[in-house]
Amino acid sequence: MIAKDASTTFHDSQWLMALPALIFGIVGGCFVALGFKELGAGGPKLMGNFALIAGGIAVAASIHLVRQMERVTVSFDRDRRRLTLERRLFWRRRRSQWSYDEIATIDIETWNDSDGPLWRPSLILKSHERIAMRASWSNDRQDALDIQERALALLDR
């Protein structure tokens, strides 16, 4: 989202993964509890071990999904000529700021996956440091180009 005022913000969010992460976590936790119950009650070891392994895999998948749910917010303050990039997960928040004078350009990074090319806009600093402006890669090249165009306009470039 980019507004037309002096302070402009747009977001990239991976919150759609919250429901699968929650489901995997709950189901995995139930399987782990079932496995411990079966093994503790002297039940079949095969069933108890299977439940523990399947539950552990589901809990690990849930943790992996939660770690991927990063929310990235890029804010342009044209009055103070500052760009702020904030990356947020449930348990942490990282914020970085740069003056417009430190920024060389906004570029589109390309990565080739087995399914084809993926793109994401990146902030390029004059120090040659490259900072991703999105939490994930996208197969929508036009979306990355639109973000690049809007960001360059906000940087007066």
Side-chain angles (χ1 to χ4, degrees), residues 1-155:
M1 168 181 75
I2 292 188
K4 294 185 179 180
D5 59 10
S7 180
T8 303
T9 302
F10 65 95
H11 306 281
D12 174 40
S13 183
Q14 302 298 317
W15 295 108
L16 292 176
M17 289 190 282
L19 184 60
L22 180 65
I23 291 169
F24 277 127
I26 290 171
V27 170
C30 290
F31 268 82
V32 168
L34 177 66
F36 280 123
K37 181 180 176 208
E38 284 296 316
L39 291 175
K45 286 190 177 192
L46 179 64
M47 180 69 87
N49 286 332
F50 173 77
L52 281 174
I53 291 169
I57 291 170
V59 168
S62 174
I63 291 168
H64 175 72
L65 287 173
V66 167
R67 290 190 51 79
Q68 301 301 312
M69 290 190 296
E70 186 172 46
R71 179 180 170 97
V72 176
T73 303
V74 181
S75 301
F76 295 85
D77 186 339
R78 295 180 87 180
D79 291 339
R80 290 191 287 188
R81 297 182 44 81
R82 304 238 7 120
L83 182 142
T84 303
L85 188 129
E86 183 177 81
R87 296 178 178 281
R88 221 183 304 173
L89 289 168
F90 288 124
W91 58 89
R92 72 160 165 80
R93 185 172 92 177
R94 293 182 184 165
R95 174 181 267 172
S96 302
Q97 286 189 338
W98 300 274
S99 78
Y100 283 11
D101 297 330
E102 296 176 81
I103 301 168
T105 190
I106 306 293
D107 193 20
I108 303 296
E109 286 184 274
T110 304
W111 181 59
N112 287 312
D113 191 354
S114 59
D115 295 330
L118 300 171
W119 297 275
R120 73 176 175 192
S122 292
L123 177 67
I124 310 297
L125 301 180
K126 289 182 179 174
S127 65
H128 304 289
E129 186 178 358
R130 181 179 293 267
I131 297 110
M133 294 175 65
R134 306 234 19 212
S136 61
W137 296 85
S138 172
N139 61 356
D140 186 353
R141 182 173 189 262
Q142 190 58 50
D143 181 53
L145 290 171
D146 290 345
I147 291 172
Q148 177 191 33
E149 180 181 338
R150 290 183 289 166
L152 287 171
L154 289 164
L155 292 170

